Amino acid sequence: MNFDIRQAIIDNISTNSNEHLESVVVDAMQTKEEKMLPGLGVLFELIWEHSDSENKQTMIDSLQNSLKERNSH
């Protein structure tokens, strides 16, 4: 059996409203459940693929700043 987790996640959320998508992300981050990580990864992949180079750089800068902040505590 070959299961495409990316496609399953995309199919599962493809008709969600903006509010529901936000709720999915916030819930996944607040619960900190390991099982949510693949879904967040797929969501980030979709965002990345549809972002221009300026937005990608903003995301990388934000990630770098977040890592520095976590390491300083």
Side-chain angles (χ1 to χ4, degrees):
M1 183 168 90
N2 192 9
F3 184 71
D4 186 346
I5 192 167
R6 279 183 179 82
Q7 193 58 52
I9 291 167
I10 291 168
D11 290 346
N12 193 39
I13 64 167
S14 64
T15 60
N16 289 2
S17 67
N18 286 357
E19 292 80 16
H20 193 251
L21 287 172
E22 181 179 358
S23 175
V24 167
V25 172
V26 169
D27 184 54
M29 291 173 54
Q30 286 179 343
T31 61
K32 298 186 186 292
E33 292 183 32
E34 297 289 319
K35 68 181 182 180
M36 301 298 279
L37 292 176
L40 289 174
V42 171
L43 295 179
F44 181 75
E45 190 175 75
L46 290 170
I47 292 167
W48 186 265
E49 288 174 351
H50 292 92
S51 295
D52 61 23
S53 59
E54 184 177 330
N55 284 329
K56 287 179 180 178
Q57 187 59 53
T58 298
M59 286 186 272
I60 294 299
D61 291 344
S62 179
L63 177 58
Q64 185 66 38
N65 289 333
S66 295
L67 292 169
K68 286 178 184 176
E69 191 174 295
R70 282 184 175 253
N71 286 334
S72 69
H73 291 143

